[in-house]
Amino acid sequence: EKGTYPHYMLKEMDEQPTVIRKIIQAYEQGEDVTVDADILDALAEADRLYIIAAGTSYHAGLIGKQYFEKIAGIPVEVHISSEFGYNMPLLSKKPLFIFISQSGETADSRQVLVKIKELGYKSLTVTNVQGSTLSREADYTLLLHAGPEIAVASTKAYVAQIAVLAVAAYAVAKQTGVALDFDLKQELAIVANGIQTIIDSKDKMEQIAEDYLKIARNAFFIGRNMDFCVSLEGALKLKEISYIQAEGFAGGELKHGTIALIEEGTPVFALATQKDVALNIRGNVKEVVARGANACIIAMEGMEEEGDCLVLPPVHELLTPLVSVVPLQLISYYAALHRRCDVDKPRNLAKSVTVE
Ligand code: M6R
């Protein structure tokens, strides 16, 4: 029930701090967070992980790859399910397949699961729905604990997917003896508070939507490293609910073609949460501003500069996507509202896509 909320999407965005706390609770074991031993073994035995997903879940998978590689040292490939099924890459000797699906019913992902089972490979489903098709048919399941997600635009499931993937990567790293210099349980608690701070300042996002998107026909989202992955999700959110054409881009890639589209007043949202590339992304912003772009920089506290649009509460560098996506979700929501779009049920879209 959406209660006093005008839209499920708003309610679901508001629930995100609670979802992170529920995940901490669901996966905590003493002072730590971890996953079941059989899943740890399956992850530790694999020589490569193949993440298969669609849409927002695919975007969460891109962040999951960073976690398994950077935290646990396991190589990962991330594939769009509808592509993978009919154009399978060469596989490693001991692959483990990870299906990420909020609904657990996405047909494109299921057809891949059917194929890899025929080939005799093991699979893990990361889903919000216990007993869903992908969960029943895979060897293992990790639940998102996000509660039902009704709005077509996925918000809380995305942050839940990222948090659960972080828990799994962290747990397998511990299991395999990787030295870790942070406490994930504590860091996730900080994230929950950080998301709350952003939610509490929604008015700012409403103003940004008004200032940057009111008359926009198109928009760009740019970032580097993990900010690039989040910019893809920011663009998808804006497209699906406001119908503004949007593109997520790697900051450094713009000059290789797409910058040709920047005109006077084109909105460009730039994420600056990754220290190693802070100067580079600011350089990319200068390039678009020089061509007339209306740039909105969203920076992590400690990396902000005068004139930035929004400053995000600081969190562990690997967990920045969990907070940086939230303003992008809210900006899309308000942009859609301003355009009188049907926020919860955008045209041409279904909540779960059960046809290939
Ligand atoms: O249920 P799933 O996570 O498998 O769904 C995948 C996509 O259809 C879904 O994420 C879609 O892109 C959303 N509408 C995005 O907000």
Side-chain angles (χ1 to χ4, degrees):
E1 251 320 293
K2 65 178 191 259
T4 54
Y5 282 96
H7 299 101
Y8 281 107
M9 185 182 174
L10 188 61
K11 172 172 180 271
E12 289 162 6
M13 290 188 292
D14 268 13
E15 285 168 352
Q16 294 179 115
T18 311
V19 169
I20 299 292
R21 292 187 188 109
K22 282 214 173 120
I23 288 170
I24 299 173
Q25 268 173 21
Y27 289 99
E28 84 183 331
Q29 214 179 72
E31 287 307 292
D32 247 330
V33 277
T34 190
V35 299
D36 287 347
D38 52 348
I39 298 179
L40 283 181
D41 290 344
L43 288 166
E45 278 165 19
D47 64 355
R48 185 173 288 256
L49 306 176
Y50 291 81
I51 295 180
I52 311 288
T56 288
S57 298
Y58 170 74
H59 295 156
L62 297 174
I63 308 288
K65 171 184 164 77
Q66 306 286 323
Y67 292 166
F68 283 110
E69 294 194 338
K70 296 205 168 104
I71 304 175
I74 308 173
V76 183
E77 290 180 24
V78 194
H79 293 273
I80 294 171
S81 40
S82 58
E83 283 294 308
F84 188 94
Y86 300 97
N87 187 16
M88 228 185 254
L90 282 178
L91 298 177
S92 64
K93 290 208 169 67
K94 289 209 75 185
L96 176 72
F97 284 83
I98 302 182
F99 292 87
I100 307 178
S101 175
Q102 187 284 130
S103 62
E105 302 297 342
T106 298
D108 286 330
S109 301
R110 176 159 189 260
Q111 58 100 358
V112 178
L113 176 57
V114 170
K115 279 192 186 153
I116 64 102
K117 277 177 77 169
E118 278 166 16
L119 296 170
Y121 297 123
K122 294 257 179 224
S123 53
L124 160 68
T125 291
V126 180
T127 183
N128 202 21
V129 184
Q130 194 159 24
S132 57
T133 307
L134 287 171
S135 167
R136 279 185 280 112
E137 295 182 358
D139 296 287
Y140 316 101
T141 295
L142 286 173
L143 289 175
L144 297 178
H145 300 282
E149 191 182 63
I150 310 293
V152 165
S154 183
T155 54
K156 63 176 179 173
Y158 173 80
V159 302
Q161 286 162 342
I162 292 174
V164 169
L165 291 165
V167 170
Y170 183 84
V172 70
K174 282 219 151 170
Q175 159 102 345
T176 53
V178 178
L180 295 167
D181 60 359
F182 66 105
D183 176 339
L184 183 62
K185 190 173 154 188
Q186 265 175 28
E187 297 298 340
L188 282 174
I190 295 171
V191 163
N193 294 338
I195 297 178
Q196 190 61 55
T197 306
I198 300 168
I199 303 271
D200 292 342
S201 57
K202 303 188 173 75
D203 293 357
K204 261 190 221 161
M205 271 45 89
E206 182 163 17
Q207 193 58 52
I208 293 173
E210 167 103 27
D211 294 346
Y212 288 82
L213 295 170
K214 191 144 193 218
I215 51 161
R217 282 182 299 122
N218 57 1
F220 289 88
F221 292 80
I222 63 171
R224 288 175 170 245
N225 294 358
M226 290 209 284
D227 287 342
F228 165 45
C229 305
V230 177
S231 70
L232 296 175
E233 175 59 9
L236 177 60
K237 282 295 85 84
L238 188 66
K239 281 184 271 202
E240 71 176 334
I241 61 170
S242 78
Y243 318 136
I244 297 171
Q245 176 159 21
E247 202 167 352
F249 238 81
E253 184 67 5
L254 271 181
K255 60 182 174 299
H256 296 287
T258 309
I259 201 164
L261 293 174
I262 303 290
E263 295 173 349
E264 199 56 44
T266 305
V268 175
F269 296 92
L271 293 176
T273 77
Q274 307 287 295
K275 281 201 193 75
D276 293 350
V277 285
L279 285 177
N280 310 63
I281 192 68
R282 288 193 184 269
N284 299 139
V285 171
K286 289 202 182 93
E287 289 158 8
V288 292
V289 168
R291 277 127 187 125
N294 192 13
C296 168
I297 302 182
I298 300 177
M300 181 81 19
E301 191 181 313
M303 292 171 56
E304 77 272 29
E305 286 183 14
E306 178 109 18
D308 286 354
C309 226
L310 191 72
V311 181
L312 302 172
V315 295
H316 189 283
E317 197 166 19
L318 285 168
L319 302 179
T320 55
L322 293 168
V323 301
S324 62
V325 76
V326 180
L328 303 187
Q329 297 167 341
L330 285 161
I331 291 168
S332 299
Y333 172 77
Y334 289 114
L337 274 193
H338 292 156
R339 285 169 191 243
R340 303 185 188 285
C341 297
D342 188 345
V343 174
D344 283 341
K345 282 194 172 42
R347 69 186 183 207
N348 308 343
L349 294 174
K351 181 60 182 164
S352 69
V353 186
T354 52
V355 289
E356 269 188 45

